[in-house]
Amino acid sequence: MSIGRNDPCLCGSGKKYKKCCGKTEGAAIVAVLAEEASSIQRELIDYAMENHSAMLKKEFQPLLKANETLRQNEQVFLVTFEIWAILTRTIKENETILTKFVKRRVPSISRQRTAEIVSSWVDYRFMAGVIESCNGPVYQVRDILTDDIYSVRALRSVDLAGAFVTGALLPHESDYTFFMTDFHFEAAHADAMASAIQSMYKESSFEDPQDFFKHDFAGVMDALFAVYEKGHAAIDLTTLMWSKESHRETAEHIEASFEQEQYGQPVAQMAVLLWNYYCSKEDPAVRKPEVFTAAMIGLLQAHGLVDGKESKAAIAGRYAISAATLSKRQKEMEAVLEEKLQAAGSGQK
């Protein structure tokens, strides 16, 4: 079928073809759809926090007390909880936060293909499995409980063949994407993690893996981190969604610097997750990663999430920046991250 450059675009955006998909011919539209869906995922998270924070806080504390290992990985626990709660917890009229958001948001999405993707999110699935192969930004994952194979699309190409991965899958046309993030662990520990979850499922009262995950996704993550700590596996959180390469590079700088500071892997992971959330909210311009690394250290010290409480001048001096610059960035980041920092701090008490 041919289409003129001034004809309405077939994707349903309402724009002329030359100003829509005609600007990104062929496979490039796939990246456009992925970016739009990713942006709407962030809107979903914001919607949940702005409209249902009281319910989320009420549900959070009992799970925090019940999962000992996750209490030692506070920010990972918060992400785990948010994924689970947004998808599964019902509000009024027996709707979940997800279904309520989809119903409200889809009518305002101009691109038809994007609207169809978001509409399909209500058919989400939890999964845990092993990545069998990677082809650019798409990898094939075999579910350890059902033996199903899922085609999962990421925002960038990462070779993770053999890694163990878990999370919540949202439909994305013929593929899936992970909601918020995927949690993946080194291939060397995949067998131990698969055995742990398979045993946990067999010992549960559930016959359907989805019911099992919906009931106790936090417990699944707790079991995985118990294996992780026992085997000293490394979880690579820098493969989160990054809208800019400078944001990803700063995440790598934070992780390396926290290792050098000897804060420990769980704290480094928490810092990277906090940085990822900040980037999704503020889209900061990064000229010098050291500024944001130093600001993150200052924030975690101020909230008692790492030992010590240095002066801003001391932290700034180590990273060759001015104390005034550090103070400014730390204040900006705290305004966005305060609620998450407070929640993480409550997990240490």
Side-chain angles (χ1 to χ4, degrees), residues 105-117:
R105 184 66 177 88
V106 167
S108 63
I109 300 174
S110 60
R111 194 185 305 276
Q112 184 177 345
R113 287 177 67 179
T114 303
E116 290 172 352
I117 288 170

Side-chain angles (χ1 to χ4, degrees), residues 294 298 302 310-318 321-324 326-328 330-331:
E310 304 172 271
S311 68
K312 289 183 173 64
I315 300 172
R318 282 206 306 281
I321 63 175
S322 71
L326 169 59
S327 181
K328 179 185 178 199
Q330 184 174 327
K331 187 179 295 185

Side-chain angles (χ1 to χ4, degrees), residues 238-255:
T238 60
T239 56
L240 295 161
M241 296 183 295
W242 305 101
S243 60
K244 292 181 179 176
E245 184 66 12
S246 62
H247 296 169
R248 184 189 63 78
E249 290 172 351
T250 302
E252 292 176 350
H253 188 273
I254 290 171
E255 192 169 39

